[in-house]
Amino acid sequence: MSQSLEEGKKFYRKALKLAKRSPWFDKVNREYHNIDGYEPFSTVSQSLAYNLFGIESSLMGGGLTVDELVDDFALSAVTISAWTLAHNPFPVWWLDKGLFQAFEASDLPKAIADLRVNVPFGIIMLPRDHIINPDKDSCNWVFFQYLPQGFRFPVMRFGLDLIESMPVDCDKIKWATILQNGANYASIIELAGDQLVHGDFDLINGGVIDANEDRDLEQQFQDRIEKIVLQTLLYLQFRPDDLISPTKVSISTKGQGFGGGKAKSDRLTPLIVGQKFQPQTERTSRSAHSTHATPRTHWRRGHWRRVAMGEGRQERKWRWIQPVLVNG
């Protein structure tokens, strides 16, 4: 039986505390500096650990079977994502707020079959409270994974249970996320052919947290997540210089109740996507003889297109025609 929204939130907060004490948390957590306006990465790690901790407990306790997990696309997609992060090194990118807004004001191309992804998977940290679902819950991060044709996920093991997968039939991008109140969202996008093929979006709340039943609103919410993921990957394809590798920084904890005055703790410097990005702006002025007011601030939409380059102009590369903030 589904619990009320408030009961669900209370349950989820307690479950997160348990997950933070599980070995799964140590496997997925990374010691990053916090950035104003973004979710702390430790919160992301708690959510991922909660998924793995909950799946492991449910399988071992008989509350969930492997077939039930595999048949639930959103739950299995988030679980595979969390498992992948727990067993491999992975990058974490913080998407610059200005670049995020410019992506929102740009249109995706119809097809991106030649998308090149420099890393197989990772996490994109989004500006907090910018993408809100119909239940007023925020998507603050999203996992992405490039799935080339023929790829097969490694076998996952939870206790005595083994979970296998079939080979991928064509190039795809998978994304998945867990919102603040525990709702899981996921989808797969097919990249092959002359248009993007969007897989069935899916979500799960585990019977714990109320979900909005308006599928159109849910679709719009998930469309925004998908659009941001694809544009981030396209942007890094033609602007790889706009990303700096993280470095460890020693921070003095003297006087903060951690013991000796020379104690140090290492933190990773976040990778910012779009740290060199400058939005294009344009100002319009009202003529002295005009009776019309100056147009309000708005975006002139941007788009992506392929341009010919190289010898004989045989090479094709993606270019972003940036949106323009008019009167910004």
Side-chain angles (χ1 to χ4, degrees):
M1 178 180 296
S2 295
Q3 304 177 42
S4 70
L5 181 59
E6 289 306 315
E7 290 173 332
K9 289 180 179 179
K10 185 176 181 180
F11 171 85
Y12 187 58
R13 286 194 294 267
K14 288 183 178 180
L16 284 177
K17 292 180 180 179
L18 290 175
K20 192 172 183 178
R21 295 196 292 268
S22 75
W24 290 114
F25 179 79
D26 294 330
K27 288 179 178 292
V28 297
N29 193 36
R30 301 291 185 273
E31 297 292 335
Y32 282 102
H33 291 293
N34 292 339
I35 300 182
D36 289 342
Y38 295 81
E39 196 74 15
F41 190 74
S42 59
T43 303
V44 179
S45 302
Q46 277 185 280
S47 296
L48 293 166
Y50 167 73
N51 171 271
L52 294 168
F53 174 73
I55 293 297
E56 183 177 57
S57 300
S58 296
L59 288 171
M60 293 179 65
L64 179 72
T65 67
V66 171
D67 287 342
E68 289 172 336
L69 173 61
V70 172
D71 289 342
D72 189 317
F73 172 73
L75 182 59
S76 61
V78 172
T79 301
I80 292 172
S81 303
W83 175 274
T84 299
L85 295 172
H87 290 83
N88 298 278
F90 60 89
V92 183
W93 301 331
W94 275 254
L95 183 59
D96 175 79
K97 296 174 186 176
L99 185 57
F100 173 93
Q101 292 173 344
F103 284 166
E104 288 265 90
S106 299
D107 298 321
L108 275 174
K110 292 177 60 177
I112 47 175
D114 57 348
L115 177 65
R116 297 190 303 274
V117 183
N118 294 329
V119 295
F121 49 80
I123 288 179
I124 302 171
M125 301 293 291
L126 304 174
R128 185 189 289 133
D129 299 331
H130 279 54
I131 302 182
I132 308 295
N133 81 341
D135 291 322
K136 310 303 180 185
D137 199 7
S138 175
C139 175
N140 296 328
W141 62 273
V142 58
F143 168 88
F144 70 89
Q145 184 168 15
Y146 174 59
L147 306 174
Q149 183 176 4
F151 175 84
R152 183 193 291 267
F153 288 103
V155 176
M156 295 192 299
R157 179 188 294 273
F158 289 99
L160 299 178
D161 293 299
L162 300 178
I163 303 173
E164 302 184 44
S165 64
M166 298 293 291
V168 176
D169 56 356
C170 69
D171 290 357
K172 299 179 180 181
I173 289 286
K174 180 186 78 171
W175 66 262
T177 188
I178 306 173
L179 303 194
Q180 292 172 313
N181 287 334
N184 293 203
Y185 288 82
S187 185
I188 290 181
I189 311 133
E190 294 184 10
L191 303 178
D194 58 0
Q195 64 178 349
L196 294 170
V197 177
H198 307 277
D200 291 334
F201 291 112
D202 205 357
L203 71 146
I204 182 173
N205 59 21
V208 171
I209 297 172
D210 295 339
N212 187 290
E213 296 183 358
D214 190 323
R215 300 300 295 182
D216 289 338
L217 289 178
E218 291 286 3
Q219 180 81 46
Q220 293 170 23
F221 166 70
Q222 295 179 79
D223 281 342
R224 291 183 67 194
I225 298 175
E226 179 174 294
K227 179 179 176 181
I228 290 297
V229 170
L230 291 174
Q231 292 201 86
T232 299
L233 297 177
L234 277 171
Y235 181 81
L236 288 176
Q237 181 168 318
F238 92 99
R239 284 298 305 272
D241 60 312
D242 207 0
L243 188 64
I244 293 180
S245 299
T247 56
K248 283 192 174 182
V249 179
S250 293
I251 304 172
S252 174
T253 56
K254 182 178 180 180
Q256 298 182 30
F258 295 101
K262 294 185 178 181
K264 302 280 186 179
S265 64
D266 288 335
R267 294 289 185 273
L268 289 170
T269 301
L271 290 78
I272 309 297
V273 180
Q275 58 188 341
K276 300 177 183 178
F277 172 74
Q278 293 293 328
Q280 295 186 6
T281 61
E282 176 182 306
R283 299 201 64 82
T284 59
S285 59
R286 182 168 59 90
S287 169
H289 302 289
S290 174
T291 58
H292 299 286
T294 301
R296 62 179 177 80
T297 300
H298 66 279
W299 284 101
R300 184 182 303 138
R301 297 195 65 79
H303 62 276
W304 295 83
R305 72 179 184 187
R306 301 270 283 151
V307 296
M309 301 183 67
E311 185 176 352
R313 299 178 65 80
Q314 296 299 308
E315 186 180 2
R316 295 290 188 273
K317 289 189 177 181
W318 283 107
R319 283 294 178 265
W320 181 31
I321 310 305
Q322 287 185 213
V324 178
L325 185 60
V326 180
N327 290 330

Short mmCIF file of all heavy atoms in Angstrom, two decimals, residues 212-266:
data_model
loop_
_atom_site.label_atom_id
_atom_site.label_comp_id
_atom_site.label_asym_id
_atom_site.label_seq_id
_atom_site.Cartn_x
_atom_site.Cartn_y
_atom_site.Cartn_z
N ASN A 212 2.83 12.26 -9.72
CA ASN A 212 1.83 12.91 -10.56
C ASN A 212 1.44 11.97 -11.69
O ASN A 212 2.30 11.36 -12.31
CB ASN A 212 2.43 14.21 -11.11
CG ASN A 212 1.40 15.05 -11.85
OD1 ASN A 212 0.96 14.67 -12.91
ND2 ASN A 212 1.03 16.16 -11.26
N GLU A 213 0.18 11.83 -11.95
CA GLU A 213 -0.29 10.90 -12.97
C GLU A 213 -0.49 11.54 -14.33
O GLU A 213 -0.95 10.89 -15.26
CB GLU A 213 -1.59 10.24 -12.51
CG GLU A 213 -1.42 9.39 -11.25
CD GLU A 213 -2.69 8.68 -10.84
OE1 GLU A 213 -3.72 8.89 -11.51
OE2 GLU A 213 -2.65 7.93 -9.86
N ASP A 214 -0.13 12.81 -14.48
CA ASP A 214 -0.24 13.48 -15.77
C ASP A 214 0.98 13.11 -16.60
O ASP A 214 2.07 13.66 -16.43
CB ASP A 214 -0.32 15.00 -15.57
CG ASP A 214 -0.66 15.74 -16.86
OD1 ASP A 214 -0.19 15.30 -17.93
OD2 ASP A 214 -1.39 16.75 -16.79
N ARG A 215 0.81 12.18 -17.53
CA ARG A 215 1.94 11.66 -18.30
C ARG A 215 2.53 12.72 -19.22
O ARG A 215 3.72 12.71 -19.51
CB ARG A 215 1.50 10.44 -19.11
CG ARG A 215 0.98 9.29 -18.29
CD ARG A 215 1.99 8.77 -17.30
NE ARG A 215 3.15 8.17 -17.95
CZ ARG A 215 4.16 7.60 -17.31
NH1 ARG A 215 4.18 7.59 -15.98
NH2 ARG A 215 5.18 7.08 -17.96
N ASP A 216 1.72 13.65 -19.69
CA ASP A 216 2.24 14.71 -20.55
C ASP A 216 3.21 15.60 -19.80
O ASP A 216 4.27 15.98 -20.32
CB ASP A 216 1.09 15.55 -21.12
CG ASP A 216 0.27 14.79 -22.16
OD1 ASP A 216 0.81 13.83 -22.74
OD2 ASP A 216 -0.89 15.16 -22.37
N LEU A 217 2.86 15.96 -18.56
CA LEU A 217 3.75 16.78 -17.75
C LEU A 217 5.04 16.02 -17.42
O LEU A 217 6.13 16.59 -17.43
CB LEU A 217 3.05 17.22 -16.46
CG LEU A 217 1.93 18.26 -16.62
CD1 LEU A 217 1.30 18.55 -15.26
CD2 LEU A 217 2.48 19.55 -17.24
N GLU A 218 4.90 14.73 -17.11
CA GLU A 218 6.08 13.92 -16.83
C GLU A 218 6.97 13.83 -18.07
O GLU A 218 8.19 13.89 -17.97
CB GLU A 218 5.66 12.51 -16.39
CG GLU A 218 4.98 12.44 -15.04
CD GLU A 218 5.94 12.62 -13.87
OE1 GLU A 218 7.15 12.86 -14.11
OE2 GLU A 218 5.49 12.54 -12.72
N GLN A 219 6.35 13.71 -19.23
CA GLN A 219 7.11 13.64 -20.48
C GLN A 219 7.89 14.93 -20.71
O GLN A 219 9.06 14.91 -21.09
CB GLN A 219 6.17 13.38 -21.66
CG GLN A 219 6.84 13.28 -23.01
CD GLN A 219 7.45 11.93 -23.27
OE1 GLN A 219 6.79 10.91 -23.01
NE2 GLN A 219 8.67 11.88 -23.77
N GLN A 220 7.25 16.07 -20.48
CA GLN A 220 7.92 17.36 -20.66
C GLN A 220 9.11 17.49 -19.71
O GLN A 220 10.17 17.99 -20.09
CB GLN A 220 6.92 18.49 -20.43
CG GLN A 220 5.84 18.58 -21.48
CD GLN A 220 4.74 19.55 -21.08
OE1 GLN A 220 4.95 20.46 -20.27
NE2 GLN A 220 3.54 19.37 -21.64
N PHE A 221 8.93 17.04 -18.47
CA PHE A 221 10.01 17.08 -17.48
C PHE A 221 11.20 16.25 -17.95
O PHE A 221 12.35 16.69 -17.92
CB PHE A 221 9.47 16.57 -16.14
CG PHE A 221 10.52 16.22 -15.13
CD1 PHE A 221 11.28 17.22 -14.51
CD2 PHE A 221 10.76 14.90 -14.77
CE1 PHE A 221 12.25 16.90 -13.57
CE2 PHE A 221 11.72 14.58 -13.83
CZ PHE A 221 12.47 15.57 -13.23
N GLN A 222 10.93 15.05 -18.43
CA GLN A 222 12.00 14.16 -18.83
C GLN A 222 12.63 14.60 -20.16
O GLN A 222 13.82 14.37 -20.40
CB GLN A 222 11.48 12.73 -18.89
CG GLN A 222 11.08 12.23 -17.51
CD GLN A 222 10.53 10.82 -17.51
OE1 GLN A 222 11.29 9.86 -17.57
NE2 GLN A 222 9.21 10.70 -17.44
N ASP A 223 11.84 15.23 -21.02
CA ASP A 223 12.40 15.80 -22.25
C ASP A 223 13.49 16.82 -21.92
O ASP A 223 14.52 16.90 -22.61
CB ASP A 223 11.31 16.49 -23.07
CG ASP A 223 10.45 15.50 -23.86
OD1 ASP A 223 10.89 14.35 -24.04
OD2 ASP A 223 9.35 15.88 -24.27
N ARG A 224 13.26 17.63 -20.89
CA ARG A 224 14.25 18.65 -20.51
C ARG A 224 15.54 18.01 -20.02
O ARG A 224 16.64 18.48 -20.33
CB ARG A 224 13.67 19.57 -19.44
CG ARG A 224 12.54 20.47 -19.91
CD ARG A 224 12.09 21.38 -18.80
NE ARG A 224 13.14 22.35 -18.44
CZ ARG A 224 13.11 23.08 -17.32
NH1 ARG A 224 12.12 22.95 -16.45
NH2 ARG A 224 14.10 23.93 -17.07
N ILE A 225 15.41 16.93 -19.26
CA ILE A 225 16.62 16.23 -18.78
C ILE A 225 17.40 15.68 -19.97
O ILE A 225 18.62 15.86 -20.09
CB ILE A 225 16.24 15.08 -17.82
CG1 ILE A 225 15.53 15.64 -16.58
CG2 ILE A 225 17.50 14.31 -17.42
CD1 ILE A 225 15.01 14.55 -15.65
N GLU A 226 16.69 15.01 -20.87
CA GLU A 226 17.33 14.41 -22.04
C GLU A 226 18.03 15.46 -22.90
O GLU A 226 19.16 15.27 -23.35
CB GLU A 226 16.28 13.68 -22.85
CG GLU A 226 16.81 13.04 -24.13
CD GLU A 226 15.72 12.22 -24.80
OE1 GLU A 226 15.30 11.21 -24.19
OE2 GLU A 226 15.29 12.59 -25.89
N LYS A 227 17.37 16.58 -23.08
CA LYS A 227 17.93 17.65 -23.90
C LYS A 227 19.22 18.19 -23.32
O LYS A 227 20.21 18.42 -24.03
CB LYS A 227 16.89 18.77 -24.02
CG LYS A 227 17.33 19.97 -24.83
CD LYS A 227 16.20 21.00 -24.88
CE LYS A 227 16.65 22.26 -25.61
NZ LYS A 227 15.56 23.27 -25.66
N ILE A 228 19.26 18.37 -22.00
CA ILE A 228 20.46 18.88 -21.33
C ILE A 228 21.60 17.88 -21.45
O ILE A 228 22.76 18.25 -21.69
CB ILE A 228 20.16 19.20 -19.86
CG1 ILE A 228 19.26 20.44 -19.75
CG2 ILE A 228 21.45 19.41 -19.08
CD1 ILE A 228 19.87 21.72 -20.28
N VAL A 229 21.31 16.60 -21.29
CA VAL A 229 22.36 15.57 -21.39
C VAL A 229 22.97 15.58 -22.79
O VAL A 229 24.20 15.62 -22.95
CB VAL A 229 21.78 14.17 -21.07
CG1 VAL A 229 22.80 13.08 -21.42
CG2 VAL A 229 21.40 14.08 -19.60
N LEU A 230 22.14 15.53 -23.83
CA LEU A 230 22.65 15.46 -25.19
C LEU A 230 23.42 16.72 -25.57
O LEU A 230 24.47 16.65 -26.23
CB LEU A 230 21.50 15.23 -26.17
CG LEU A 230 20.83 13.85 -26.10
CD1 LEU A 230 19.61 13.80 -27.01
CD2 LEU A 230 21.82 12.75 -26.46
N GLN A 231 22.94 17.88 -25.14
CA GLN A 231 23.64 19.12 -25.49
C GLN A 231 24.97 19.24 -24.75
O GLN A 231 25.94 19.77 -25.29
CB GLN A 231 22.75 20.33 -25.22
CG GLN A 231 21.57 20.41 -26.16
CD GLN A 231 20.99 21.80 -26.25
OE1 GLN A 231 21.45 22.63 -27.04
NE2 GLN A 231 19.98 22.07 -25.44
N THR A 232 25.03 18.74 -23.53
CA THR A 232 26.30 18.74 -22.80
C THR A 232 27.33 17.89 -23.53
O THR A 232 28.49 18.28 -23.69
CB THR A 232 26.11 18.22 -21.37
OG1 THR A 232 25.19 19.06 -20.67
CG2 THR A 232 27.43 18.21 -20.61
N LEU A 233 26.92 16.72 -24.01
CA LEU A 233 27.84 15.83 -24.72
C LEU A 233 28.24 16.43 -26.07
O LEU A 233 29.41 16.32 -26.49
CB LEU A 233 27.20 14.45 -24.91
CG LEU A 233 26.90 13.69 -23.60
CD1 LEU A 233 26.20 12.37 -23.90
CD2 LEU A 233 28.17 13.46 -22.80
N LEU A 234 27.31 17.06 -26.77
CA LEU A 234 27.64 17.73 -28.02
C LEU A 234 28.62 18.88 -27.77
O LEU A 234 29.58 19.07 -28.52
CB LEU A 234 26.37 18.28 -28.67
CG LEU A 234 25.54 17.31 -29.52
CD1 LEU A 234 24.22 17.95 -29.90
CD2 LEU A 234 26.31 16.87 -30.77
N TYR A 235 28.38 19.64 -26.74
CA TYR A 235 29.23 20.80 -26.42
C TYR A 235 30.67 20.34 -26.16
O TYR A 235 31.63 20.95 -26.66
CB TYR A 235 28.67 21.52 -25.20
CG TYR A 235 29.45 22.75 -24.79
CD1 TYR A 235 29.26 23.97 -25.44
CD2 TYR A 235 30.37 22.71 -23.74
CE1 TYR A 235 29.97 25.11 -25.07
CE2 TYR A 235 31.07 23.83 -23.36
CZ TYR A 235 30.86 25.03 -24.02
OH TYR A 235 31.57 26.15 -23.65
N LEU A 236 30.84 19.28 -25.40
CA LEU A 236 32.18 18.80 -25.08
C LEU A 236 32.84 18.15 -26.29
O LEU A 236 34.06 17.97 -26.32
CB LEU A 236 32.13 17.83 -23.91
CG LEU A 236 31.84 18.49 -22.56
CD1 LEU A 236 31.72 17.45 -21.45
CD2 LEU A 236 32.94 19.50 -22.21
N GLN A 237 32.05 17.78 -27.30
CA GLN A 237 32.62 17.22 -28.52
C GLN A 237 33.36 18.31 -29.30
O GLN A 237 34.41 18.05 -29.89
CB GLN A 237 31.53 16.59 -29.39
CG GLN A 237 32.05 15.97 -30.68
CD GLN A 237 31.01 15.11 -31.36
OE1 GLN A 237 30.29 14.35 -30.72
NE2 GLN A 237 30.91 15.23 -32.68
N PHE A 238 32.81 19.54 -29.33
CA PHE A 238 33.48 20.58 -30.10
C PHE A 238 34.20 21.60 -29.21
O PHE A 238 34.95 22.43 -29.71
CB PHE A 238 32.48 21.26 -31.05
CG PHE A 238 31.79 22.48 -30.50
CD1 PHE A 238 32.23 23.75 -30.82
CD2 PHE A 238 30.70 22.35 -29.67
CE1 PHE A 238 31.59 24.87 -30.33
CE2 PHE A 238 30.04 23.46 -29.18
CZ PHE A 238 30.50 24.73 -29.51
N ARG A 239 34.01 21.52 -27.89
CA ARG A 239 34.73 22.39 -26.96
C ARG A 239 35.36 21.58 -25.83
O ARG A 239 35.10 21.82 -24.65
CB ARG A 239 33.79 23.45 -26.39
CG ARG A 239 33.44 24.59 -27.32
CD ARG A 239 34.68 25.40 -27.71
NE ARG A 239 35.41 25.90 -26.56
CZ ARG A 239 35.16 27.06 -25.96
NH1 ARG A 239 34.20 27.84 -26.41
NH2 ARG A 239 35.87 27.45 -24.92
N PRO A 240 36.20 20.60 -26.15
CA PRO A 240 36.82 19.80 -25.08
C PRO A 240 37.75 20.62 -24.20
O PRO A 240 38.07 20.21 -23.09
CB PRO A 240 37.60 18.72 -25.86
CG PRO A 240 37.88 19.35 -27.20
CD PRO A 240 36.66 20.19 -27.49
N ASP A 241 38.18 21.80 -24.71
CA ASP A 241 39.07 22.66 -23.93
C ASP A 241 38.34 23.34 -22.78
O ASP A 241 38.98 23.93 -21.90
CB ASP A 241 39.68 23.73 -24.83
CG ASP A 241 38.61 24.61 -25.48
OD1 ASP A 241 37.64 24.05 -26.02
OD2 ASP A 241 38.74 25.84 -25.43
N ASP A 242 37.01 23.27 -22.78
CA ASP A 242 36.24 23.97 -21.74
C ASP A 242 35.98 23.07 -20.55
O ASP A 242 34.95 23.14 -19.91
CB ASP A 242 34.92 24.47 -22.33
CG ASP A 242 34.39 25.69 -21.60
OD1 ASP A 242 35.07 26.13 -20.65
OD2 ASP A 242 33.33 26.19 -21.97
N LEU A 243 36.93 22.23 -20.25
CA LEU A 243 36.83 21.31 -19.13
C LEU A 243 38.23 21.07 -18.59
O LEU A 243 39.14 20.73 -19.34
CB LEU A 243 36.21 19.99 -19.60
CG LEU A 243 35.85 18.95 -18.56
CD1 LEU A 243 34.76 19.45 -17.62
CD2 LEU A 243 35.38 17.68 -19.25
N ILE A 244 38.43 21.29 -17.29
CA ILE A 244 39.73 21.09 -16.67
C ILE A 244 39.65 19.90 -15.73
O ILE A 244 38.69 19.75 -14.97
CB ILE A 244 40.18 22.35 -15.90
CG1 ILE A 244 40.44 23.49 -16.89
CG2 ILE A 244 41.43 22.08 -15.07
CD1 ILE A 244 40.89 24.78 -16.24
N SER A 245 40.68 19.05 -15.77
CA SER A 245 40.69 17.86 -14.92
C SER A 245 40.73 18.26 -13.45
O SER A 245 41.33 19.28 -13.08
CB SER A 245 41.91 16.99 -15.24
OG SER A 245 41.87 16.56 -16.57
N PRO A 246 40.09 17.45 -12.58
CA PRO A 246 40.10 17.78 -11.16
C PRO A 246 41.46 17.53 -10.54
O PRO A 246 42.23 16.69 -11.00
CB PRO A 246 39.05 16.83 -10.58
CG PRO A 246 39.10 15.64 -11.50
CD PRO A 246 39.38 16.20 -12.87
N THR A 247 41.76 18.26 -9.51
CA THR A 247 42.98 18.06 -8.74
C THR A 247 42.62 17.98 -7.28
O THR A 247 41.61 18.52 -6.84
CB THR A 247 43.98 19.21 -8.94
OG1 THR A 247 43.33 20.44 -8.58
CG2 THR A 247 44.44 19.29 -10.37
N LYS A 248 43.44 17.28 -6.52
CA LYS A 248 43.20 17.19 -5.08
C LYS A 248 43.78 18.42 -4.40
O LYS A 248 44.89 18.83 -4.67
CB LYS A 248 43.81 15.92 -4.51
CG LYS A 248 42.98 14.68 -4.82
CD LYS A 248 43.44 13.50 -4.00
CE LYS A 248 42.51 12.30 -4.20
NZ LYS A 248 42.90 11.14 -3.37
N VAL A 249 43.01 18.98 -3.50
CA VAL A 249 43.44 20.17 -2.77
C VAL A 249 43.39 19.86 -1.29
O VAL A 249 42.38 19.38 -0.77
CB VAL A 249 42.51 21.36 -3.07
CG1 VAL A 249 42.95 22.59 -2.29
CG2 VAL A 249 42.51 21.65 -4.56
N SER A 250 44.48 20.10 -0.59
CA SER A 250 44.52 19.87 0.85
C SER A 250 43.92 21.07 1.57
O SER A 250 44.28 22.21 1.29
CB SER A 250 45.96 19.64 1.33
OG SER A 250 46.46 18.44 0.80
N ILE A 251 43.01 20.81 2.48
CA ILE A 251 42.33 21.86 3.22
C ILE A 251 42.67 21.72 4.69
O ILE A 251 42.50 20.65 5.28
CB ILE A 251 40.80 21.77 3.03
CG1 ILE A 251 40.46 21.81 1.54
CG2 ILE A 251 40.09 22.86 3.79
CD1 ILE A 251 39.03 21.53 1.28
N SER A 252 43.15 22.77 5.31
CA SER A 252 43.46 22.73 6.73
C SER A 252 42.18 22.65 7.54
O SER A 252 41.20 23.34 7.27
CB SER A 252 44.24 23.98 7.14
OG SER A 252 44.42 24.01 8.54
N THR A 253 42.16 21.76 8.52
CA THR A 253 41.01 21.63 9.40
C THR A 253 41.35 22.11 10.81
O THR A 253 40.68 21.77 11.77
CB THR A 253 40.52 20.17 9.45
OG1 THR A 253 41.61 19.34 9.86
CG2 THR A 253 40.04 19.72 8.09
N LYS A 254 42.39 22.90 10.91
CA LYS A 254 42.80 23.41 12.21
C LYS A 254 41.69 24.24 12.83
O LYS A 254 41.08 25.07 12.19
CB LYS A 254 44.05 24.29 12.03
CG LYS A 254 44.59 24.84 13.35
CD LYS A 254 45.83 25.66 13.11
CE LYS A 254 46.38 26.23 14.42
NZ LYS A 254 47.61 27.03 14.19
N GLY A 255 41.43 23.96 14.10
CA GLY A 255 40.43 24.74 14.82
C GLY A 255 39.01 24.36 14.52
O GLY A 255 38.08 25.06 14.93
N GLN A 256 38.80 23.26 13.81
CA GLN A 256 37.44 22.86 13.45
C GLN A 256 37.00 21.61 14.20
O GLN A 256 36.04 20.94 13.81
CB GLN A 256 37.33 22.63 11.94
CG GLN A 256 37.61 23.88 11.12
CD GLN A 256 37.46 23.63 9.65
OE1 GLN A 256 36.68 22.80 9.23
NE2 GLN A 256 38.22 24.36 8.84
N GLY A 257 37.74 21.29 15.27
CA GLY A 257 37.32 20.15 16.09
C GLY A 257 37.73 18.81 15.56
O GLY A 257 37.15 17.79 15.92
N PHE A 258 38.76 18.79 14.70
CA PHE A 258 39.20 17.52 14.13
C PHE A 258 40.52 17.04 14.72
O PHE A 258 41.22 16.24 14.13
CB PHE A 258 39.34 17.63 12.61
CG PHE A 258 38.05 17.87 11.91
CD1 PHE A 258 37.70 19.14 11.47
CD2 PHE A 258 37.15 16.84 11.71
CE1 PHE A 258 36.49 19.37 10.82
CE2 PHE A 258 35.94 17.05 11.07
CZ PHE A 258 35.62 18.32 10.63
N GLY A 259 40.89 17.56 15.85
CA GLY A 259 42.12 17.07 16.46
C GLY A 259 43.29 17.98 16.22
O GLY A 259 43.20 19.20 16.35
N GLY A 260 44.42 17.40 15.80
CA GLY A 260 45.67 18.14 15.64
C GLY A 260 45.57 19.31 14.70
O GLY A 260 44.83 19.31 13.74
N GLY A 261 46.37 20.34 14.97
CA GLY A 261 46.32 21.56 14.19
C GLY A 261 46.79 21.39 12.77
O GLY A 261 46.48 22.22 11.91
N LYS A 262 47.51 20.33 12.42
CA LYS A 262 48.03 20.15 11.07
C LYS A 262 47.19 19.16 10.26
O LYS A 262 47.61 18.72 9.19
CB LYS A 262 49.49 19.67 11.12
CG LYS A 262 50.44 20.71 11.70
CD LYS A 262 51.87 20.23 11.62
CE LYS A 262 52.85 21.28 12.16
NZ LYS A 262 54.24 20.83 12.08
N ALA A 263 46.05 18.78 10.81
CA ALA A 263 45.21 17.81 10.10
C ALA A 263 44.80 18.36 8.74
O ALA A 263 44.55 19.54 8.58
CB ALA A 263 43.98 17.48 10.92
N LYS A 264 44.77 17.49 7.78
CA LYS A 264 44.39 17.87 6.42
C LYS A 264 43.30 16.93 5.91
O LYS A 264 43.20 15.78 6.33
CB LYS A 264 45.61 17.78 5.47
CG LYS A 264 46.79 18.64 5.87
CD LYS A 264 46.59 20.08 5.45
CE LYS A 264 47.84 20.90 5.72
NZ LYS A 264 47.70 22.29 5.30
N SER A 265 42.48 17.42 5.02
CA SER A 265 41.53 16.55 4.34
C SER A 265 41.58 16.89 2.86
O SER A 265 41.64 18.06 2.49
CB SER A 265 40.11 16.74 4.88
OG SER A 265 39.66 18.04 4.62
N ASP A 266 41.59 15.86 2.03
CA ASP A 266 41.68 16.07 0.59
C ASP A 266 40.30 16.22 -0.02
O ASP A 266 39.37 15.49 0.33
CB ASP A 266 42.40 14.89 -0.08
CG ASP A 266 43.88 14.88 0.24
OD1 ASP A 266 44.41 15.97 0.52
OD2 ASP A 266 44.49 13.81 0.20
#
